[in-house]
Amino acid sequence: MAEFEVSRLLDTASVSVRNVRCRGECRHRSAEECVSATHLVFPYRGLYLRHVGSDQSVADANHALLFNAGEGYQVSHPVSGGDASLVLAISQPLLRELAPAGLLQARDELAFRRQALQIDPRAQALVALLRHSLEHRHIEPLEAESLALTLVCRTLGPRSTHDGGGGPARRRLVDRVKVLLASDLGRRWSLDEIAAEIGGSAVYLTQAFQQVEGVPLYRYHLRLRLARALDLVADAPDMSALAQDLGFSSHSHFAAAFKQAYGRSPSAFRQTARAKSG
């Protein structure tokens, strides 16, 4: 079986969309790779690390990764189970129009200054709707293009401009916390358990996480679990079982958290996804 499975979901003059699934079996850094076109990658399942020189970014459902044309990178997979991402390539004139100048390098060829940006729950929901609707071929290309451009605007906008604070050591510590959370997404972690696994005090970890990510650790974890729900909810036969698998204390707790994040209940979101997907 190939390491990657790539599904072509949309190809127009303005936008291309791919669904990329990776088996994620290699724990060590891969050979150096590069891409031919600048694009945005939205992980929606699993986790991997992207390395550019001495810098690294955690690729999980709370982030969009920014890949620059011709820039070398490596990947590693510290968590078993593989990963999946929605990959968007926008025509360079459109992307230059959409991207704030502060996110771009000062050179003729379009390139981003940063490896990754946080995305908010609304952007996570757009990723899920775009993927579900394209996979089931019940969306017109014009609507899909509009949805993709809305997602890019949301991702590159001011909601995603938090620039992680702290030094490299603190950022690496926070990355270890992210990897730990992803290793058992449905587990009801306590601060003491996380601190015991990572090392250091619970107080220090919470302070470091807030400084680097700009959101509390518990909220970051909740968004990961809800993003996994977005991935599964369209085809979930039992909402209560899904809630339990994702570590929620009850279906009502899950439904309330989902609605607060995405503005609709899990059942309502499933109806929308199914309407999009037939």
Side-chain angles (χ1 to χ4, degrees):
M1 183 183 296
E3 179 72 8
F4 290 96
E5 179 185 340
V6 181
S7 302
R8 301 165 66 95
L9 301 183
L10 180 69
D11 282 296
T12 73
S14 300
V15 180
S16 74
V17 182
R18 303 286 185 267
N19 190 25
V20 179
R21 301 179 182 88
C22 178
R23 293 173 64 188
E25 294 182 341
C26 180
R27 297 289 180 266
H28 304 293
R29 289 194 187 197
S30 68
E32 188 167 273
E33 307 170 50
C34 68
V35 293
S36 59
T38 297
H39 57 258
L40 290 81
V41 175
F42 297 89
Y44 64 86
R45 184 185 306 160
L47 176 146
Y48 64 92
L49 300 179
R50 178 181 179 231
H51 311 271
V52 178
S54 61
D55 194 14
Q56 79 174 23
S57 295
V58 173
D60 66 17
N62 284 337
H63 290 88
L65 272 66
L66 310 176
F67 284 69
N68 293 326
E71 182 177 66
Y73 68 91
Q74 299 168 290
V75 297
S76 59
H77 301 86
V79 177
S80 62
D83 55 80
S85 299
L86 199 69
V87 179
L88 270 64
I90 310 297
S91 70
Q92 184 159 317
L94 268 180
L95 188 55
R96 190 174 293 278
E97 185 176 350
L98 292 172
L103 286 179
L104 299 178
Q105 298 181 22
R107 65 187 199 188
D108 291 338
E109 186 177 356
L110 188 147
F112 292 105
R113 293 180 180 272
R114 296 170 58 180
Q115 276 204 61
L117 296 170
Q118 287 185 22
I119 60 173
D120 66 2
R122 173 59 179 164
Q124 291 176 330
L126 288 170
V127 171
L129 284 173
L130 181 61
R131 180 174 65 86
H132 287 309
S133 58
L134 285 171
E135 283 184 333
H136 293 85
R137 302 180 186 277
H138 276 264
I139 185 172
E140 295 293 330
L142 179 59
E143 184 182 359
E145 286 180 310
S146 299
L147 195 58
L149 293 180
T150 299
L151 172 58
V152 172
C153 287
R154 185 114 190 155
T155 300
L156 301 180
R159 300 171 187 83
S160 303
T161 55
H162 173 74
D163 194 1
R170 183 165 286 200
R171 290 196 294 271
R172 289 298 179 102
L173 177 69
V174 169
D175 285 351
R176 289 170 56 201
V177 175
K178 296 177 189 176
V179 171
L180 179 66
L181 296 178
S183 69
D184 192 353
L185 199 57
R187 179 171 172 175
R188 298 177 189 175
W189 291 97
S190 71
L191 285 174
D192 284 343
E193 290 171 338
I194 295 172
E197 292 282 348
I198 299 298
S201 72
V203 171
Y204 179 77
L205 285 178
T206 56
Q207 291 174 342
F209 204 97
Q210 177 75 49
Q211 181 185 23
V212 172
E213 290 300 314
V215 296
L217 194 161
Y218 77 87
R219 185 174 299 167
Y220 189 97
H221 185 219
L222 176 61
R223 288 181 179 178
L224 285 181
R225 294 154 66 204
L226 291 173
R228 182 63 171 151
L230 285 173
D231 178 23
L232 299 173
V233 71
D235 300 309
D238 186 337
M239 290 292 185
S240 295
L242 177 61
Q244 183 176 11
D245 289 344
L246 292 174
F248 290 93
S249 59
S250 64
H251 176 268
S252 60
H253 177 209
F254 165 58
F258 192 101
K259 186 172 184 178
Q260 183 175 21
Y262 305 124
R264 66 189 83 179
S265 67
S267 297
F269 187 90
R270 179 169 61 178
Q271 289 176 358
T272 301
R274 286 180 172 178
K276 290 285 186 184
S277 61

Coordinates of all heavy atoms in Angstrom, one line a residue, residues 47 78-80 176-187 189 197 224:
L47 N -2.1 13.7 13.3 CA -1.1 14.7 13.6 C 0.2 14.3 13.0 O 0.6 13.2 12.9 CB -0.9 14.9 15.1 CG 0.2 15.9 15.6 CD1 -0.3 16.6 16.9 CD2 1.5 15.1 15.9
P78 N 5.0 11.4 14.9 CA 5.2 10.9 16.3 C 4.0 10.2 16.8 O 4.1 9.6 17.9 CB 5.4 12.2 17.1 CG 4.7 13.3 16.3 CD 4.8 12.9 14.9
V79 N 2.8 10.3 16.2 CA 1.6 9.6 16.6 C 1.2 8.6 15.6 O 1.1 8.9 14.4 CB 0.5 10.6 16.9 CG1 -0.8 9.9 17.3 CG2 0.9 11.6 17.9
S80 N 0.8 7.4 16.0 CA 0.4 6.3 15.1 C -1.0 6.6 14.6 O -1.8 7.4 15.2 CB 0.5 5.0 15.8 OG -0.4 5.0 16.9
R176 N 5.2 19.2 22.4 CA 5.1 17.9 23.1 C 3.7 17.7 23.7 O 3.2 16.6 23.7 CB 6.2 17.8 24.1 CG 7.6 17.6 23.5 CD 8.7 17.7 24.6 NE 8.5 16.7 25.7 CZ 9.0 16.9 26.9 NH1 9.7 17.9 27.2 NH2 8.8 15.9 27.8
V177 N 3.2 18.7 24.3 CA 1.8 18.6 24.8 C 0.8 18.3 23.7 O -0.1 17.5 23.9 CB 1.4 19.9 25.6 CG1 0.0 19.9 26.0 CG2 2.3 20.2 26.8
K178 N 0.9 19.0 22.6 CA 0.0 18.8 21.5 C 0.1 17.3 21.0 O -0.9 16.7 20.7 CB 0.4 19.7 20.3 CG 0.1 21.2 20.6 CD 0.6 22.0 19.4 CE 0.6 23.5 19.6 NZ 1.1 24.2 18.5
V179 N 1.3 16.8 20.9 CA 1.5 15.4 20.5 C 0.9 14.5 21.5 O 0.2 13.5 21.1 CB 3.0 15.1 20.3 CG1 3.2 13.6 20.1 CG2 3.6 15.9 19.1
L180 N 1.0 14.7 22.7 CA 0.4 13.9 23.8 C -1.1 13.9 23.7 O -1.7 12.8 23.7 CB 0.9 14.4 25.2 CG 0.3 13.6 26.4 CD1 0.8 12.2 26.4 CD2 0.6 14.3 27.7
L181 N -1.7 15.1 23.5 CA -3.1 15.1 23.4 C -3.6 14.3 22.2 O -4.6 13.6 22.3 CB -3.6 16.6 23.3 CG -3.3 17.5 24.5 CD1 -3.8 18.9 24.2 CD2 -4.0 17.0 25.7
A182 N -2.9 14.5 21.1 CA -3.3 13.8 19.9 C -3.1 12.2 20.0 O -3.8 11.5 19.2 CB -2.6 14.3 18.7
S183 N -2.3 11.8 20.9 CA -2.0 10.4 21.0 C -3.2 9.6 21.5 O -3.3 8.4 21.4 CB -0.8 10.1 21.9 OG -1.1 10.5 23.2
D184 N -4.1 10.3 22.2 CA -5.3 9.7 22.8 C -6.4 10.7 22.9 O -6.6 11.3 24.0 CB -5.0 9.1 24.2 CG -6.1 8.2 24.7 OD1 -7.1 8.1 24.0 OD2 -5.9 7.5 25.7
L185 N -7.0 11.0 21.7 CA -7.8 12.2 21.6 C -9.1 12.1 22.5 O -9.5 13.2 23.0 CB -8.3 12.4 20.2 CG -8.8 13.8 19.8 CD1 -7.7 14.9 20.1 CD2 -9.1 13.8 18.3
G186 N -9.6 11.0 22.8 CA -10.8 10.8 23.6 C -10.5 10.7 25.1 O -11.5 10.6 25.8
R187 N -9.3 10.8 25.5 CA -9.0 10.6 26.9 C -9.3 11.9 27.6 O -9.1 13.0 27.1 CB -7.5 10.3 27.1 CG -7.1 10.2 28.5 CD -5.6 9.7 28.7 NE -5.1 9.7 30.0 CZ -4.0 9.3 30.4 NH1 -3.2 8.7 29.5 NH2 -3.6 9.3 31.7
W189 N -8.1 14.0 29.9 CA -6.8 14.4 30.6 C -7.0 15.3 31.7 O -7.9 16.2 31.7 CB -5.9 15.1 29.6 CG -5.4 14.2 28.5 CD1 -5.9 14.1 27.2 CD2 -4.2 13.3 28.5 NE1 -5.1 13.2 26.5 CE2 -4.1 12.7 27.2 CE3 -3.3 12.9 29.5 CZ2 -3.1 11.8 26.9 CZ3 -2.3 12.0 29.2 CH2 -2.3 11.4 27.9
E197 N 3.4 13.3 32.3 CA 3.9 12.7 31.0 C 5.0 13.6 30.4 O 5.9 13.1 29.8 CB 2.7 12.6 30.0 CG 1.7 11.5 30.4 CD 2.2 10.1 30.1 OE1 3.2 10.0 29.4 OE2 1.6 9.1 30.5
L224 N -9.7 20.3 19.3 CA -9.3 19.1 18.6 C -10.4 18.1 18.6 O -10.6 17.4 17.5 CB -8.0 18.6 19.2 CG -6.7 19.3 19.0 CD1 -5.6 18.6 19.7 CD2 -6.4 19.4 17.5

